[in-house]
Amino acid sequence: MRSLSYKRVFDRSLLGSVIAHYKSLASISAQIKIAYREYVLKKGSPSIIPIEIDTVQRAEFENAYSNKPIGAGLSWISELYINGLNSCPFCGGDGARTIEHYLPQASYPEFSVYSLNLLPSCGSCNSKRNSLNAHGAATSPLHPYFDKHILNKLNAYTVVSLDCGVIGFYLSYDHSPFTEEEQFRIDYHMEISLDETSYINRTLDSLETLRISSEKYSTPMEFRTEVIDDQIYISERKKDYNSWHHALCKGLANLSDDELQIIFGDSFGARASAPSLGRLRNLTP
């Protein structure tokens, strides 16, 4: 979960090329321009009243997004897939390999090829939200462009529980910087975006990677300094804020040395006492 920097696309200028290519849209060009302006003024709110369009115009919008023709000036949409994001800006999960319509096409076809409405996300959280942000929705998820004031203060972390010797996880965040209204939006965003199964599996995978790293260190203190703190630093230097791996490392950093000993105790120092792979190869006849 993180904010994104907007790569400027001059949508109003490109609209002429879109209309020249999809001529049925010419009769509503003025309404589209007004809708684009309202999107900015209302920050993508689902309270925006959709344009009234016919079935032909709806199909044209769908074709424009699906085909992304160069002649209509829409080839830039394909570039959104190549974004260098290691985690989804909406949920913090791996990658951002799909393009999401923040206001869904079903409710708002006029924003089908509007750059501010097209955002990289992962497939699972995109599907999970589906049409929950349709026209009339009472609350909307955080917008990576318009909600920077919230997202840039958001400090999400994984709460690691040790009940009855069983490790459990859930995603939380530091509530202190936010008003009640902002907390409500964050909670809603996490509820409709987070795929619990994907989150648990990815967190378990990260934990296993960290467990293997812990084999090099004799004590929780060493492991905390050399691995956990370093992983937090790397994530933040990469601007991979609030990814699930970043959240897990922050959660582990909140634990005491005794709690880290419970989680990783059998692994500490294991690599020092075991023969290295190179030594094993040398012993092979």
Side-chain angles (χ1 to χ4, degrees):
M1 290 166 282
R2 53 169 290 190
S3 65
L4 293 177
S5 297
Y6 174 61
K7 183 177 180 180
R8 183 67 181 170
V9 175
F10 296 96
D11 297 277
R12 287 169 64 91
S13 299
L14 289 173
L15 187 56
S17 299
V18 173
I19 289 170
H21 201 87
Y22 299 101
K23 300 189 184 302
S24 71
L25 303 180
S27 62
I28 56 170
S29 61
Q31 292 98 307
I32 297 172
K33 289 179 181 179
I34 292 170
Y36 283 3
R37 176 172 172 75
E38 191 171 16
Y39 189 102
V40 174
L41 292 175
K42 293 189 175 181
K43 300 180 179 180
S45 169
S47 67
I48 298 169
I49 299 173
I51 296 174
E52 292 186 11
I53 63 172
D54 59 34
T55 54
V56 174
Q57 291 165 336
R58 180 178 290 276
E60 296 278 55
F61 276 122
E62 291 174 356
N63 287 335
Y65 175 72
S66 298
N67 298 323
K68 308 170 184 56
I70 295 175
L74 298 176
S75 58
W76 59 269
I77 296 176
S78 296
E79 297 173 7
L80 298 177
Y81 292 96
I82 311 300
N83 47 55
L85 296 173
N86 290 318
S87 62
C88 174
F90 282 95
C91 73
D94 288 340
R97 306 296 178 253
T98 63
I99 303 302
E100 172 167 352
H101 289 84
Y102 180 80
L103 292 180
Q105 279 184 295
S107 286
Y108 294 96
E110 62 267 34
F111 299 131
S112 293
V113 292
Y114 183 47
S115 64
L116 287 171
N117 197 50
L118 301 180
L119 294 155
S121 77
C122 71
S124 62
C125 80
N126 189 346
S127 299
K128 192 171 186 290
R129 276 187 300 275
N130 200 4
S131 294
L132 291 176
N133 205 29
H135 174 239
T139 308
S140 57
L142 299 172
H143 196 301
Y145 296 147
F146 292 122
D147 288 311
K148 288 186 176 184
H149 66 291
I150 294 177
L151 287 164
N152 288 346
K153 293 186 293 183
L154 184 63
N155 178 24
Y157 59 90
T158 291
V159 176
V160 183
S161 62
L162 299 167
D163 296 336
C164 302
V166 178
I167 299 174
F169 311 106
Y170 68 88
L171 194 64
S172 188
Y173 63 96
D174 178 8
H175 290 63
S176 60
F178 304 109
T179 65
E180 287 189 13
E181 182 180 350
E182 290 171 336
Q183 288 178 40
F184 179 79
R185 282 202 66 204
I186 295 168
D187 292 343
Y188 176 77
H189 177 98
M190 291 172 67
E191 179 183 352
I192 68 170
S193 300
L194 190 69
D195 182 300
E196 194 71 20
T197 301
S198 296
Y199 165 68
I200 293 295
N201 284 335
R202 181 64 183 90
T203 301
L204 285 170
D205 181 70
S206 284
L207 187 68
E208 185 59 24
T209 299
L210 292 170
R211 187 186 303 281
I212 294 169
S213 295
S214 73
E215 295 174 358
K216 291 173 60 180
Y217 304 96
S218 300
T219 67
M221 185 179 295
E222 281 185 279
F223 175 64
R224 183 191 299 277
T225 303
E226 298 297 330
V227 178
I228 296 176
D229 291 351
D230 196 50
Q231 287 296 303
I232 294 171
Y233 175 77
I234 289 170
S235 293
E236 293 174 357
R237 286 283 286 130
K238 291 166 61 180
K239 298 183 178 179
D240 198 24
Y241 302 113
N242 300 321
S243 67
W244 295 344
H245 180 71
H246 187 212
L248 173 62
C249 290
K250 286 185 285 183
L252 291 172
N254 291 334
L255 299 180
S256 67
D257 285 351
D258 288 343
E259 289 169 321
L260 289 176
Q261 184 72 44
I262 293 171
I263 296 173
F264 299 102
D266 291 343
S267 300
F268 288 132
R271 204 179 304 186
S273 60
S276 70
L277 183 59
R279 286 168 59 197
L280 288 173
R281 283 175 178 159
N282 291 334
L283 293 172
T284 303

